[in-house]
Amino acid sequence: MIIDTVTNAPKYTGLNPLFAKAFNYINQNDIANLPDGVLEIADGLKLIVATGNGKTVEASLAKFECHDKNIDIQVCVKGLETIAWKPREKCVAPNGDYNPEKDVRFFSDAPDMSFQLTDGQFAIFYPEDVHAPMIGEGEIKKLVFKVKI
């Protein structure tokens, strides 16, 4: 997992060729005014724009998730978002089977830690990062780039 600010994004573009395309998209668009929805940015790079009210810890942990075929770049555009996290290798309580169509696997484990993102901050979640986003109060607007691996 990586946590940083969008201003430091160039440090991470060498990690995956699609990271540069995702961060360029952020720099070339008025992300505060993007409408909610799903956009195909490039082959292997999808963007989900979502605005919604924060959830309780319990509601978010009901979908404590990780992915096998995608890396998530989650960018907080507006609001204060708490995200719970645990390394996949420490998760021992699967919550259902892997869904290959949605590329999601859920766990019932308790997180090891939580952290907050606010305007202009992002987290990168690799397949080994189990995460529960959107914890908070009030409105949260975020971008989720799905980077195919």
Side-chain angles (χ1 to χ4, degrees), residues 3 48-49 73 79 96 100 104 115 119-120 131:
I3 305 167
I48 302 165
V49 181
I73 302 174
V104 69
F115 60 92
D119 305 12
H131 52 284

Side-chain angles (χ1 to χ4, degrees), residues 26 31 34 47-49 73-75 77 142-145:
I26 291 169
I31 61 173
L34 288 175
L47 170 61
I48 302 165
V49 181
I73 302 174
Q74 297 194 14
V75 182
V77 177
K142 69 184 302 177
L143 309 179
V144 179
F145 290 93

Side-chain angles (χ1 to χ4, degrees), residues 70-90:
N70 287 282
I71 299 167
D72 278 3
I73 302 174
Q74 297 194 14
V75 182
C76 184
V77 177
K78 182 181 177 194
L80 181 63
E81 176 184 20
T82 300
I83 300 175
W85 174 87
K86 184 172 192 154
R88 187 178 196 168
E89 66 192 25
K90 288 179 64 182

Side-chain angles (χ1 to χ4, degrees), residues 56-144:
T56 65
V57 172
E58 296 77 19
S60 185
L61 283 176
K63 294 191 174 182
F64 199 30
E65 66 180 23
C66 64
H67 314 287
D68 289 357
K69 298 177 184 171
N70 287 282
I71 299 167
D72 278 3
I73 302 174
Q74 297 194 14
V75 182
C76 184
V77 177
K78 182 181 177 194
L80 181 63
E81 176 184 20
T82 300
I83 300 175
W85 174 87
K86 184 172 192 154
R88 187 178 196 168
E89 66 192 25
K90 288 179 64 182
C91 290
V92 295
N95 183 3
D97 295 327
Y98 173 69
N99 181 331
E101 288 106 34
K102 294 187 177 184
D103 183 36
V104 69
R105 175 182 313 271
F106 297 109
F107 290 92
S108 296
D109 296 78
D112 278 1
M113 64 170 274
S114 295
F115 60 92
Q116 291 183 323
L117 297 179
T118 191
D119 305 12
Q121 296 176 331
F122 69 88
I124 300 175
F125 298 105
Y126 288 88
E128 55 272 7
D129 296 310
V130 181
H131 52 284
M134 289 297 290
I135 301 168
E137 297 179 6
E139 188 175 89
I140 300 168
K141 179 172 184 142
K142 69 184 302 177
L143 309 179
V144 179

